Amino acid sequence: MSRWELYGGGFAAPFHGMRARHAPTDHLELCRAAMVVLPKHAAVSHRSAATLHGFPLPANAVPDQVDISVFEPHRSPRLRGVRSHQLTPTGQRVVTVRGLRLVSPEDTWVHLGGLLAHVDLVAAGDYVITGSEPYDGGTPPATRSQLDAALHRHGRHRGVRNLRAASERIRYGSLSPRESRLRLALEDARLPAPELNYRVAGSNGRTAAMIDLAYPAYKVAIEYLGDHHRATPAAYRNDIARRELLVDRGWDVVFVTAADWLPAVAARVRTALRRSLSR
């Protein structure tokens, strides 16, 4: 390849020292490009690792650069478009995801302690120990014991108070950050802790409905309706059928959308619980 072909404009240059046939279209491609020119001992970390692990991040935490970490005694490389961190090795795990070296999910959660607000850190922790397991049986990114061990390793470093406060409120079972935020709003309103993704069996013994948040003893169901619920006629019909099944079984169903103010939702749930007691 001639110098003219290499530098003539036919290639993208995401980072100094490399050329690509096209500019990266997502953060995964950007990380792949960065790791071509970074040292082999570097690992994707912090917000970049959170993105590649599938963490639910708020809009203000979505990475605009590639976060990478190296462990002492290696020194942090300097490269435009890359945010480098130097870590003291204390037992952190490095895993391989899609061919890239990433800091483990539990250690990535710890790295977010100084970056995320309390509620977002709880939602991320819920995801780490839950993943999609209640829905499809998939293995969660990490166990609760691994998350606790990562927090212990973190010691007194940045964000530890935020991490400890969030750790006390992390629970297995939430399938979305909105469900996590709703659960926290109910708890903050001093309501009983709801069951998460509670399964209602049909006449054949199989799951007929899975309720986002439920109070089985009161037969109060809370269903979060995101935009995907109205994306297709089939999804819309399934929502109606599920609600009719729950009502037929004696459940009081409270529907919640993204536009609802969560303290007001907590008040509606409190009313439903009281209504159940008066029956």
Side-chain angles (χ1 to χ4, degrees):
M1 183 176 292
S2 69
R3 184 178 179 85
W4 181 86
E5 289 174 314
L6 185 61
Y7 294 98
F11 293 90
F15 299 100
H16 178 73
M18 72 157 300
R19 296 293 182 270
R21 293 192 179 277
H22 61 81
T25 58
D26 57 26
H27 202 66
L28 173 61
E29 288 190 2
L30 190 65
C31 289
R32 289 190 189 281
M35 296 306 284
V36 170
V37 293
L38 288 169
K40 299 298 182 184
H41 55 259
V44 179
S45 65
H46 293 73
R47 292 185 296 174
S48 291
T51 298
L52 300 192
H53 282 307
F55 283 29
L57 293 177
N60 63 359
V62 174
D64 55 351
Q65 294 182 307
V66 175
D67 278 297
I68 66 102
S69 288
V70 297
F71 292 95
E72 297 173 342
H74 296 295
R75 309 185 80 176
S76 301
R78 294 183 179 181
L79 184 66
R80 182 179 299 175
V82 171
R83 189 181 294 108
S84 297
H85 311 265
Q86 187 184 48
L87 304 178
T88 300
T90 56
Q92 300 95 326
R93 288 195 307 136
V94 174
V95 298
T96 301
V97 176
R98 302 181 189 179
L100 291 175
R101 283 169 46 86
L102 270 63
V103 171
S104 69
E106 66 272 18
D107 290 306
T108 295
W109 178 78
V110 166
H111 292 163
L112 300 179
L115 300 172
L116 298 186
H118 174 79
V119 64
D120 296 315
L121 200 56
V122 174
D126 285 352
Y127 167 78
V128 169
I129 66 170
T130 303
S132 60
E133 186 174 43
Y135 179 73
D136 59 16
T139 303
T143 65
R144 179 70 210 216
S145 61
Q146 287 175 322
L147 197 68
D148 292 341
L151 177 54
H152 179 74
R153 285 195 297 270
H154 191 62
R156 299 180 179 273
H157 293 158
R158 182 187 177 199
V160 67
R161 290 185 179 180
N162 195 22
L163 288 164
R164 288 173 179 167
S167 177
E168 293 177 356
R169 305 192 71 181
I170 290 172
R171 278 185 56 193
Y172 172 88
S174 176
L175 286 174
S176 75
R178 289 176 176 175
E179 290 179 17
S180 295
R181 294 187 186 103
L182 178 54
R183 172 179 67 83
L184 294 178
L186 297 177
E187 293 175 357
D188 289 341
R190 299 183 181 275
L191 291 172
E195 297 286 336
L196 303 177
N197 287 290
Y198 179 80
R199 295 177 183 271
V200 177
S203 56
N204 58 2
R206 297 180 179 177
T207 299
M210 190 165 70
I211 305 170
D212 294 337
L213 298 93
Y215 294 97
Y218 300 86
K219 286 218 164 177
V220 172
I222 307 164
E223 288 281 87
Y224 207 110
L225 296 182
D227 289 339
H228 66 280
H229 287 266
R230 56 183 179 177
T232 65
Y236 183 67
R237 288 194 298 269
N238 288 338
D239 282 339
I240 294 175
R242 187 170 66 254
R243 181 184 183 185
E244 289 180 345
L245 180 144
L246 293 174
V247 171
D248 287 343
R249 300 282 186 89
W251 287 80
D252 193 344
V253 185
V254 177
F255 285 105
V256 184
T257 70
D260 288 323
W261 188 45
L262 293 185
V265 173
R268 288 164 53 199
V269 172
R270 188 186 303 277
T271 299
L273 294 174
R274 289 174 175 169
R275 189 161 53 234
S276 173
L277 291 174
S278 65
R279 279 185 264 178

